[in-house]
Amino acid sequence: MGHTSAKRGFFRNAVDALMAARERQAQRYVAGALLMLDDETLKLNGYSRAELQRKGGASHLF
């Protein structure tokens, strides 16, 4: 019984890590897309260029 529980824990951890990685990838993609907007539009929607660049969006523009 302990072996099955350990196996389930391993797969659960693997799925959780995969989901977290995909979420970070999506956040970088969105940050990159938002960086295509002008500074005024970003400001009106509550974003700053510096914040989006810190989130990794800049890497999608180069």
Side-chain angles (χ1 to χ4, degrees):
M1 186 169 173
H3 178 64
T4 303
S5 178
K7 184 185 271 191
R8 187 175 307 134
F10 170 79
F11 286 111
R12 171 60 126 186
N13 289 339
V15 169
D16 288 348
L18 178 62
M19 290 173 55
R22 294 293 288 176
E23 183 175 345
R24 288 189 305 272
Q25 181 183 26
Q27 289 172 346
R28 286 190 304 269
Y29 179 83
V30 169
L34 289 171
L35 282 169
M36 290 187 237
L37 300 172
D38 62 276
D39 288 343
E40 185 64 25
T41 302
L42 289 175
K43 185 178 177 182
L44 287 172
N45 288 284
Y47 296 102
S48 76
R49 187 164 302 280
E51 175 189 354
L52 293 170
Q53 288 171 335
R54 278 194 303 273
K55 289 183 178 181
S59 64
H60 292 291
L61 298 178
F62 302 108

